[in-house]
Each structure stands twice: as C-alpha cells, then as structure tokens.
Amino acid sequence: MARILILDDVPDAVRLMARLLKENGHTVFPFTDEEPALDFISENPVDLAILDIKLKKMSGIDVLARIKQIAPAIRTLVLTGYPTVETARESVRLGAGEFCVKPIDNAELEEKVSRLLTAD
C-alpha cells in the first residue's frame, strides 16, 4: 500500500484521517506543523500528501509549492474548510491532484486517495 503524509493543524482531523487510511493498509505519517512535514518529505519517500489549506505558519498552498519543488512526483490532495475559487485554481496550478471541501466524509476520502494513487 501507499506511504501517505497528512498535514493539518487540527490534531483530531489528523488522527481521524490517519486511522481510516491505516485501516485501509496504508503507512501514514501524521503532522500538525509545516516544517517537520517538509523535512520529512525531503528525507523520505512519500506517495501522497494530504494538506490542509489553513495551517499554523504557512498556507497549504505554500506547502504545496514547496513539496512540488522538493519532490515533484508526490501526489497531493488539498483540503479546506474555507473554499474559494482562487484557492482551488492555485492548488490545481501547483499540481494538486484533488481539491476537497471539509468536512470530508470517510467514503469521499477513500475514493479520492484511491483515485490519486491509481492515476497514471
């Protein structure tokens, strides 16, 4: 299965997503802070990064841009509770494979993750 990094500033959101993804056989690397997550990606292989837009120090868009510089092949799923056309457009421009509005239910998360991991 896949190696998935989750970055969200809300610990409960990270725990819920991590639990679901682990139940589906994935190896999950949970983070609530941007810099440790970016350091991890710099030093470890990751298949998919799930990023919240609203973080502590940086925006998820900034983190997405840095991830694409560090490891362009990492597939990304961007989550936000504050959707705007600009955020969606910028996420896609930077290479996000999926853009989802919170709250995301388990079935939708599983579907999006599966789609990203099986995309060519």
Side-chain angles (χ1 to χ4, degrees):
M1 298 308 295
R3 295 170 52 89
I4 301 174
L5 179 136
I6 300 171
L7 174 58
D8 194 312
D9 64 326
V10 179
D12 286 343
V14 172
R15 276 192 290 279
L16 289 171
M17 287 186 280
R19 188 185 75 223
L20 175 68
L21 295 169
K22 286 178 183 177
E23 287 172 359
N24 287 316
H26 300 291
T27 302
V28 178
F29 306 98
F31 291 90
T32 56
D33 293 302
E34 302 89 335
E35 288 303 325
L38 289 167
D39 290 344
F40 184 86
I41 285 174
S42 295
E43 300 169 6
N44 299 278
V46 173
D47 301 304
L48 173 66
I50 299 174
L51 310 171
D52 188 19
I53 289 292
K54 188 171 168 51
L55 298 167
K56 293 176 183 175
K57 298 173 190 155
M58 304 169 67
S59 77
I61 296 295
D62 293 335
V63 172
L64 174 60
R66 296 255 315 265
I67 287 172
K68 291 301 182 175
Q69 290 173 344
I70 296 167
I74 293 177
R75 295 163 195 236
T76 51
L77 167 62
V78 174
L79 303 173
T80 185
Y82 309 94
T84 66
V85 172
E86 295 82 27
T87 302
R89 187 176 296 130
E90 188 65 6
S91 297
V92 171
R93 187 187 72 74
L94 289 170
E98 292 282 350
F99 182 86
C100 301
V101 177
K102 286 179 163 181
I104 184 169
D105 67 39
N106 290 352
E108 182 181 7
L109 179 62
E110 288 179 67
E111 175 191 327
K112 302 265 185 197
V113 166
S114 178
R115 187 176 322 145
L116 283 166
L117 293 173
T118 58
D120 291 327

